[in-house]
Amino acid sequence: MTKEEVVVDKYLAGTAGMAHCIKAALIDMDGVLYDSMKNHTAAWFRMATELGIECTRDEFYAYEGMTGAATIDILFKRAYGRNASPEEAKELYARKARYFMETGEPQMMPGATRMLEVLRNAGIERVLVTGSGQHSILDRLDRDYPGIFAPDKRVTAMNVTHGKPDPEPYLKGLEFAGCGPHEAVVIENAPLGVLAGHRSGCFTIGITTGPIPRHDMEKSGADIVYGSMPEFADKLPELITAFKNRQAK
Ligand code: CA
């Protein structure tokens, strides 16, 4: 058996005979479609150090997937022992967004176009699931990935209140896709996002596209972890076939 068949069998064994075929892929944006995490961490670090809050640049990789307000609360609790007010959160997130833009345009993730084409050719609906409200990057989607995400198949900061690791963004993605958790896969690059996907009940794929070790994604509940986006794009047809074959059994 291939590695893909093994993990699909393991996942399906836990779904108690629920329907299982891949109708939709719920796809994270930062660190999956764009190699943008180094830009985000630099922007957060600049904003926090300007406020005089002690932090490291790398710690912001661990907060990936949280809402901006949740990240700001972590900083505020550390420095001032309280959460930020809504006004403070709004102002500071806007400042972070500005610094993010000043880091330059993030590159498209190498291999992501090929991965999306495999999904489209297999007739699998693509749903964007991001907690981001960063318009400088959301507005690029149609240019960089034309015809991939229908306008009504995009979960962003506008649609969610909790953010990852709460399953809400992925549950919203399932709602937009019109299918159940055992008919969709989640594609993620960060532990909190993987945890959100796992909690939603979907088969959850982790891809290490940055400095986060694969072990952290396995710990968060990833059903399978790939070492890079090109590797995932190579293996995706096998994964789709593994689901199809199991469904036929
Ligand atoms: Ca991400």
Side-chain angles (χ1 to χ4, degrees):
M1 291 213 306
T2 65
K3 180 174 130 189
E4 280 68 23
E5 287 169 332
V6 171
V7 296
V8 167
D9 277 355
K10 192 173 158 212
Y11 170 76
L12 294 178
T15 64
M18 304 284 287
H20 35 68
C21 58
I22 312 179
K23 289 185 184 163
L26 312 181
I27 305 164
D28 176 46
M29 183 172 77
D30 287 293
V32 170
L33 300 178
Y34 292 97
D35 191 11
S36 49
M37 281 315 300
K38 52 185 183 292
N39 308 64
H40 283 292
T41 56
W44 278 117
F45 182 69
R46 181 177 166 194
M47 190 213 79
T49 47
E50 262 183 18
L51 294 178
I53 298 174
E54 259 185 57
C55 60
T56 65
R57 181 170 163 172
D58 275 357
E59 74 171 278
F60 294 102
Y61 282 103
Y63 308 150
E64 184 178 351
M66 281 184 190
T67 62
T71 301
I72 290 165
D73 278 345
I74 288 175
L75 297 170
F76 263 56
K77 275 186 205 142
R78 180 185 309 163
Y80 317 122
R82 65 169 177 90
N83 285 339
S85 70
E87 294 75 29
E88 287 167 331
K90 197 174 165 213
E91 194 274 316
L92 292 172
Y93 188 65
R95 199 193 296 188
K96 181 260 163 181
R98 200 163 64 241
Y99 294 164
F100 174 80
M101 283 177 72
E102 287 174 19
T103 63
E105 238 187 25
Q107 301 295 305
M108 290 165 70
M109 183 64 73
T113 296
R114 195 153 58 83
M115 177 269 290
L116 294 166
E117 274 164 10
V118 172
L119 292 171
R120 181 163 58 183
N121 293 341
I124 295 169
E125 180 77 69
R126 288 84 46 205
V127 181
L128 181 79
V129 180
T130 176
S132 177
Q134 189 88 46
H135 284 283
S136 59
I137 195 161
L138 285 165
D139 293 345
R140 288 176 54 191
L141 276 173
D142 290 320
R143 183 189 81 196
D144 295 338
Y145 298 105
I148 294 295
F149 300 103
D152 62 344
K153 301 284 186 285
R154 300 175 192 203
V155 178
T156 70
M158 268 66 79
N159 311 102
V160 295
T161 47
H162 298 303
K164 303 163 186 174
D166 194 283
E168 184 200 17
Y170 283 111
L171 295 175
K172 187 61 92 176
L174 288 172
E175 191 187 314
F176 284 8
C179 67
H182 304 118
E183 299 170 312
V185 296
V186 162
I187 301 173
E188 263 289 348
N189 76 303
L192 295 182
V194 165
L195 188 54
H198 178 68
R199 286 174 172 165
S200 76
C202 296
F203 182 92
T204 301
I205 300 154
I207 307 165
T208 56
T209 61
I212 298 165
R214 66 186 297 139
H215 176 66
D216 287 5
M217 279 196 269
E218 285 161 352
K219 259 193 335 203
S220 299
D223 292 286
I224 192 165
V225 179
Y226 292 100
S228 71
M229 185 58 74
E231 184 196 334
F232 175 52
D234 287 344
K235 293 289 184 179
L236 184 53
E238 279 181 48
L239 190 61
I240 294 168
T241 303
F243 268 95
K244 269 193 191 141
N245 291 346
R246 266 45 195 173
Q247 189 199 9
K249 268 188 180 175

